[in-house]
């Protein structure tokens, strides 16, 4: 079964946030001046349970979803994460992955692989402790994250590394990151700084474009474009001409890919969002906790996707951009990425 939206985009991917909590305070996601020690995170009863996550994921798979990604907050903070992965693994989706900051990964990688996880993406923005600490709110040095990456690879998980690049903060860390991960055979993906949520102080002047990054890297290692792995792939792919692997670029600002977006997002509190930059979600938690049948839930989800017409990144800064008065964008900590 396949369902399509108003722009003929298929629903193929579901990103599931299992918690809004995180042990980092990254400046582009959960800046400490907003998410301080007294910040009120969601209580347990407002977060979807393991059973509710499994039920909702099964409905999406029944509607044609092929890829499931677990996000947060920081998903490794969730105590029943392995059980959630095991439950999702039984659904038969072709891909089951997880995004993490990696600080707790070394001790959990083997358990995650055994539960049925296929792939893992680790967020890391610099190899220098001082800069990394500045960007993550002083929560972690680099070593535990690198140890987590090594542990995940040793456990048999496919590993990618995402680096958010911000002008004036870490653009000089790009070349060392590229060198480190290409030597170790892991795909690094460079992510343009995006205006997600309402608290990260986004300014377009802080965006380092894909073309600038290509030029910077190309001074050291020539690159050539590669075909996407599948239609709608988020990252554009390039290979090193010397044969040492590939690198990806996620360019939502300068080369928006809304036209091929296949992703739905389920927030930590059970709201369905059809866009990373959405101001409004659809409350599925209330329906899960009602007497609604799976068939009725599936029809409700199908109706939401069929009515989808958002394309925020393509419209950003134009007259077609949606009027956001009366609604704030969903926070990254609730929706993952």
């Amino acid at each position: 079964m396949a369902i399509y939206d108003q722009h003929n985009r298929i629903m193929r991917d579901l990103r599931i946030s299992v918690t809004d909590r995180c042990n980092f305070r990254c400046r582009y996601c959960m800046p400490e001046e907003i998410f301080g020690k007294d910040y009120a995170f969601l209580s347990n009863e407002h977060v979807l349970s393991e059973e509710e996550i499994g039920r909702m994921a099964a409905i999406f798979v029944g509607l044609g979803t092929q890829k499931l990604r677990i996000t947060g907050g920081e998903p490794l903070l969730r105590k029943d994460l392995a059980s959630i992965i095991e439950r999702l693994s039984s659904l038969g989706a072709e891909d089951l992955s997880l995004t993490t900051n990696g600080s707790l990964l070394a001790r959990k990688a083997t358990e995650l692989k055994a539960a049925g996880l296929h792939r893992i993406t680790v967020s890391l923005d610099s190899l220098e402790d001082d800069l990394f600490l500045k960007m993550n709110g002083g929560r972690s040095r680099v070593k535990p994250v690198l140890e987590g990456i090594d542990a995940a690879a040793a456990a048999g998980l496919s590993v990618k590394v995402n680096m958010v690049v911000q002008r004036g903060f870490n653009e000089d860390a790009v070349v060392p990151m590229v060198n480190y991960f290409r030597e170790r055979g892991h795909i690094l993906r460079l992510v343009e700084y995006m205006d997600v949520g309402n608290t990260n102080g986004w300014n377009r002047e802080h965006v380092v474009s894909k073309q600038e990054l290509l030029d910077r890297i190309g001074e050291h290692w020539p690159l050539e474009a590669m075909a996407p792995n599948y239609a709608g792939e988020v990252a554009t792919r390039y290979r090193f001409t010397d044969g040492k692997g590939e690198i990806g670029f996620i360019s939502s600002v300068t080369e928006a890919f809304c036209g091929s977006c296949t992703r739905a997002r389920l927030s930590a509190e059970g709201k369905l969002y059809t866009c990373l930059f959405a101001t409004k979600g659809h409350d599925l938690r209330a329906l899960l906790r009602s007497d609604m049948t799976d068939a009725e839930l599936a029809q409700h989800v199908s109706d939401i996707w069929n009515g989808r017409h958002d394309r925020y990144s393509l419209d950003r800064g134009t007259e077609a951009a949606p009027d956001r008065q009366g609604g704030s964008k969903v926070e990254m900590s609730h929706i993952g990425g």
Side-chain angles (χ1 to χ4, degrees), residues 49-232:
S49 68
E50 173 192 334
E51 292 76 15
E52 288 168 336
I53 290 171
R55 183 185 177 197
M56 206 68 251
I59 288 168
F60 274 84
V61 170
L63 290 171
T65 295
Q66 301 170 17
K67 299 166 72 70
L68 301 174
R69 178 183 291 270
I70 299 167
T71 68
E74 172 46 53
L76 296 188
L77 292 177
R78 179 123 179 191
K79 294 180 179 179
D80 58 350
L81 180 61
S83 295
I84 292 172
I85 291 171
E86 188 172 3
R87 187 180 292 264
L88 298 184
S89 178
S90 71
L91 299 177
E94 69 180 39
D95 184 61
L96 177 57
S97 62
L98 179 144
T99 298
T100 174
N101 63 36
S103 62
L104 305 174
L105 184 55
R107 70 186 77 162
K108 297 190 176 185
T110 300
E111 179 185 27
L112 300 180
K113 174 64 176 177
L117 192 67
H118 301 154
R119 299 188 298 113
I120 201 153
T121 298
V122 178
S123 300
L124 179 64
D125 300 319
S126 174
L127 293 173
E128 299 177 13
D129 274 335
D130 289 347
L131 180 55
F132 187 51
L133 285 163
K134 181 179 180 181
M135 296 194 75
N136 67 39
R139 296 310 202 270
S140 176
R141 296 185 179 274
V142 176
K143 183 179 178 182
V145 180
L146 296 181
E147 290 175 343
I149 291 170
D150 290 344
L157 290 165
S158 173
V159 179
K160 292 181 180 178
V161 179
N162 279 3
M163 176 187 185
V164 176
V165 184
Q166 297 181 68
R167 189 180 309 283
F169 293 99
N170 68 333
E171 69 266 41
D172 291 337
V174 168
V175 170
M177 286 278 288
V178 173
N179 183 55
Y180 183 90
F181 287 109
R182 86 184 207 105
E183 291 294 331
R184 286 156 181 80
H186 299 313
I187 297 173
L188 176 67
R189 300 192 301 184
L190 302 176
V191 184
E192 288 182 349
Y193 177 42
M194 293 181 287
D195 48 332
V196 178
N198 314 283
T199 61
N200 70 359
W202 185 83
N203 186 316
R204 196 180 184 107
E205 294 179 358
H206 292 159
V207 176
V208 183
S209 72
K210 169 189 166 183
Q211 188 57 54
E212 183 176 338
L213 292 169
L214 277 169
D215 293 342
R216 185 184 289 251
I217 296 164
E219 293 176 359
H220 301 268
W221 306 281
L223 296 166
E224 59 184 11
M226 300 174 65
N229 285 309
Y230 53 88

Side-chain angles (χ1 to χ4, degrees), residues 254-272:
T254 64
E255 295 184 6
F257 40 80
C258 298
S260 59
C261 178
T262 61
R263 290 166 293 283
R265 293 171 168 88
L266 187 63
S267 73
E269 66 269 53
K271 289 185 178 180
L272 177 63

Side-chain angles (χ1 to χ4, degrees), residues 264-334:
R265 293 171 168 88
L266 187 63
S267 73
E269 66 269 53
K271 289 185 178 180
L272 177 63
Y273 292 89
T274 57
C275 180
L276 180 61
F277 306 95
T279 59
K280 179 183 178 182
H282 304 268
D283 186 2
L284 299 185
R285 186 185 68 199
L287 303 183
L288 283 165
R289 296 178 182 180
S290 71
D291 58 1
M292 186 172 279
T293 66
D294 286 357
E296 290 170 331
L297 272 170
Q299 185 61 57
H300 186 73
V301 170
S302 181
D303 289 344
I304 292 170
W305 190 266
N306 291 156
R308 178 195 184 207
H309 54 78
D310 49 59
R311 33 176 272 164
Y312 175 81
S313 288
L314 282 171
D315 293 337
R316 182 193 281 112
T318 72
E319 291 184 0
D323 181 2
R324 300 201 170 262
Q325 290 184 347
S328 297
K329 288 180 288 186
V330 61
E331 291 292 348
M332 180 73 89
S333 56
H334 285 246

